[in-house]
Amino acid sequence: MRRFLVLPTSRAGWGLFIAFVALVLAGIWPVIGWVNRATLVMGLPLLVVWSYVIMFACVAVMLVGNRIVERDDHE
Amino acid sequence: MSSAWPLVITLLYVATAMLIGLRARAGRSMNSLEEWGVAGRSMGPVTLYLLIAAGSVSAYTFMGAPGWAYSKGVAVFYVAIYLAYLALVAWYFGPKVWQFGEQFGHVTQASAIADRYQSPALGALSALVMAVGSVAYAVLQTIGSAYILFVMSGGQIPVWLGVLLVLACIAVYLYASGQRAIGRTNAFQGVLMLVVAWAVGLWAIHSATGGLSFAGVFERIAAEHPEFLTLPGAGGDMSFSFWTTSIIVSMFSFMPPVWTQWMSASSARTIRRSATWLPTYYVVILPMVVVGFIGIFSLPELARADTVVLEYAMQHLPVVLVGLLGAGTLAASMSSSEPFIHSVSLSVSKDVLQPLLKLSEGTTAKLARLLILPIMFLVIAPLAIAEPGSLVMILLVGLGFASQVLPAFIGMFLWPRASRLGVMAGIF
């Protein structure tokens, strides 16, 4: 019988899945409401800094993902 | 503007792009869908990185985004976040699309949908729905291109002529070299945009504050207009729901050119490596948006927010930099419009006309190349010359249309039990 949803099958896969979901949640409401303040960090608005933190966190998570995929030879 | 330099530099860019696009063919025959459509699945990680990056940075980054910063504030940074999320989407889905496409010889998104659901009708329907969204996007970019030529020529090149000039340039190299032209020109345009954005941004900051730090700009905004630094922005209309829905709708808009870009990769690993570094390219947004913030106190009476960078550049920057800004903005709009024109032609030929008219592969390939001409000159040109509405709203309408096909992709990758009828119901 076919599965209902395609889900990760390893612990590393679940870890990546959770990291992806966390990244997405970090960029939308309600999290974005917590950084929605008119303060400057390193000369930039907090919301702008947060946006770039998310962008570079995406790079970091994908780098880890590459190691996992290539180690497990999922090509 | 009295100097001819900005127009000369902008036209020099157009000529260079055309030359690169034409040479991209390198003697290959373009009479197969695999070659003209997906460059024979040959692109390496660096070309793919610049292809996807330049394709996703459009005239919006050089005009619309600074305009939003000028009129609304930091709400514009939803773009930076959704572009980073698009890289995550490419990292996860791209290799699967590539493997599926390579195994079954797909060159279009709609062909993959037709195969997954065993329904050419669903493939054709998806192709048509996506074509509407893609044409909206190409119109938007063409308007941006024509406007740049209008400004850089001091009004000597009217919008209608600018539209025809830009489309004719794209038509020549797109017909000749297909996806290879898009790959090479986007690589050139991607580097040009990055250099121009930072050169213009830093020069503007220096002319506005006397230094090179962003802090000077934002400290003044914080003191005089703090409402620009938070949601819902200066106009009070950029709510959390706008921010959240715009990001989610945009990140799940699997536009056809993105699919074509993935299938142009030399391997699944290539896509993953390119996607990993893609968010680093989006530092290109920051300096342009900062010029929009500078406009808040330097150009308070601007009639049209979209023109803030150009107006500021023409008043405060040297003519050579104004010309480079024209070239960079034109690069942004052309690098985004050509993949959409290409994918509409490819998909309508392959997924609508081939099954309908029972055409051979060879005839379909020739038709795809020729179809760019009516798409450009009978659909995109008249719509662009008519100059409809706000640039950002057109972009969101295009992305909204594209997201209608989302149920098909969920069924392809995440939900094995999704059915043809379910997907059709989702689209309607």
Side-chain angles (χ1 to χ4, degrees), chain B residues 1-7 10 62-63 147-156 200 203-204 207 288 291 294-295 298-299 302 304 306-327 329:
Chain B
M1 195 164 51
S2 54
S3 173
W5 275 108
L7 181 62
T10 307
F62 282 75
M63 293 169 70
Y147 180 74
I148 290 301
L149 286 174
F150 177 78
V151 173
M152 292 297 130
S153 67
Q156 297 296 304
V200 168
W203 199 292
S207 77
M288 299 313 293
V291 182
I294 291 172
S298 296
L299 302 165
L302 207 55
R304 197 175 148 186
D306 287 345
T307 64
V308 62
V309 174
L310 281 169
E311 287 291 339
Y312 189 85
M314 286 190 291
Q315 290 182 25
H316 299 279
L317 268 54
V319 286
V320 172
L321 217 47
V322 175
L324 283 172
L325 176 65
T329 312

Side-chain angles (χ1 to χ4, degrees), chain B residues 21-296:
Chain B
L22 281 170
R23 288 175 61 92
R25 179 178 177 156
R28 293 178 189 86
S29 166
M30 288 287 152
N31 283 330
S32 80
L33 285 171
E34 182 113 348
E35 191 57 57
W36 189 79
V38 293
R41 301 183 210 279
S42 63
M43 290 184 180
V46 177
T47 307
L48 196 67
Y49 170 90
L50 287 168
L51 170 68
I52 300 176
S56 52
V57 169
S58 61
Y60 175 75
T61 304
F62 282 75
M63 293 169 70
W68 269 43
Y70 174 81
S71 59
K72 301 173 192 303
V74 290
V76 69
F77 278 91
Y78 87 88
V79 175
I81 291 186
Y82 101 70
L83 286 173
Y85 291 169
L86 278 181
L88 292 181
V89 167
W91 188 91
Y92 181 78
F93 292 105
K96 296 177 193 299
V97 166
W98 186 87
Q99 280 165 340
F100 191 35
E102 205 228 5
Q103 190 176 351
F104 295 99
H106 301 147
V107 293
T108 66
Q109 185 183 60
S111 298
I113 293 172
D115 264 9
R116 157 63 178 86
Y117 296 98
Q118 294 294 295
S119 170
L122 182 56
L125 179 65
S126 308
L128 291 172
V129 169
M130 283 300 199
V132 175
S134 299
V135 164
Y137 199 84
V139 167
L140 169 76
Q141 301 306 324
T142 307
I143 293 170
S145 302
Y147 180 74
I148 290 301
L149 286 174
F150 177 78
V151 173
M152 292 297 130
S153 67
Q156 297 296 304
I157 299 178
V159 168
W160 68 267
L161 184 58
V163 166
L164 295 180
L165 193 68
V166 168
L167 289 179
C169 171
I170 295 174
V172 169
Y173 64 69
L174 207 50
Y175 178 83
S177 311
Q179 181 72 350
R180 285 187 189 275
I182 297 174
R184 291 282 176 87
T185 54
N186 273 25
F188 164 62
Q189 289 155 341
V191 173
L192 179 69
M193 283 187 274
L194 198 57
V195 172
V196 168
W198 278 93
V200 168
L202 291 176
W203 199 292
I205 290 168
H206 188 262
S207 77
T209 67
L212 286 175
S213 165
F214 295 119
V217 177
F218 288 108
E219 279 165 5
R220 185 163 173 189
I221 297 286
E224 297 174 12
H225 306 283
E227 68 277 13
F228 281 90
L229 301 184
T230 54
L231 301 177
D237 54 347
M238 296 289 106
S239 62
F240 290 129
S241 59
F242 166 83
W243 173 283
T244 302
T245 52
S246 296
I247 287 173
I248 292 173
V249 167
S250 304
M251 74 179 278
F252 286 119
S253 303
F254 290 73
M255 297 295 264
V258 174
W259 204 277
T260 310
Q261 287 160 0
W262 294 344
M263 284 196 287
S264 304
S266 57
S267 70
R269 185 168 181 253
T270 299
I271 301 173
R272 219 174 271 121
R273 289 169 69 191
S274 303
T276 300
W277 293 103
L278 258 184
T280 60
Y281 186 83
Y282 303 129
V283 295
V284 73
I285 297 167
L286 185 60
M288 299 313 293
V289 167
V290 170
V291 182
F293 281 104
I294 291 172
I296 294 169

Side-chain angles (χ1 to χ4, degrees), chain A residues 1-6 16 20 23-29 32-33 36-38 40 43-45 47-48 51-52 54-56 58-59 62-63 65-66 69-70 75, chain B residues 74 77 80-81 84-85 87-88 91 99 214-215 218-219 226 229-231 240 243-244 247 251 268-269 272 275-277 279-280 282-283 285-286 413-417:
Chain A
M1 192 174 132
R2 286 194 295 177
R3 285 174 296 165
F4 182 70
L5 280 175
V6 176
L16 263 184
F20 270 46
L23 281 172
V24 174
L25 291 178
I28 59 175
W29 183 87
I32 213 70
N36 187 38
R37 277 178 270 158
L40 301 183
L44 291 168
L47 202 61
V48 176
S51 301
Y52 278 92
I54 291 173
M55 286 169 70
F56 287 100
C58 286
V59 174
M62 286 187 279
L63 279 170
N66 288 343
V69 170
E70 284 163 24
E75 292 290 328
Chain B
V74 290
F77 278 91
I81 291 186
Y85 291 169
L88 292 181
W91 188 91
Q99 280 165 340
F214 295 119
F218 288 108
E219 279 165 5
L229 301 184
T230 54
L231 301 177
F240 290 129
W243 173 283
T244 302
I247 287 173
M251 74 179 278
R269 185 168 181 253
R272 219 174 271 121
T276 300
W277 293 103
T280 60
Y282 303 129
V283 295
I285 297 167
L286 185 60
F413 302 112
L414 299 171
W415 191 13
R417 294 187 200 178

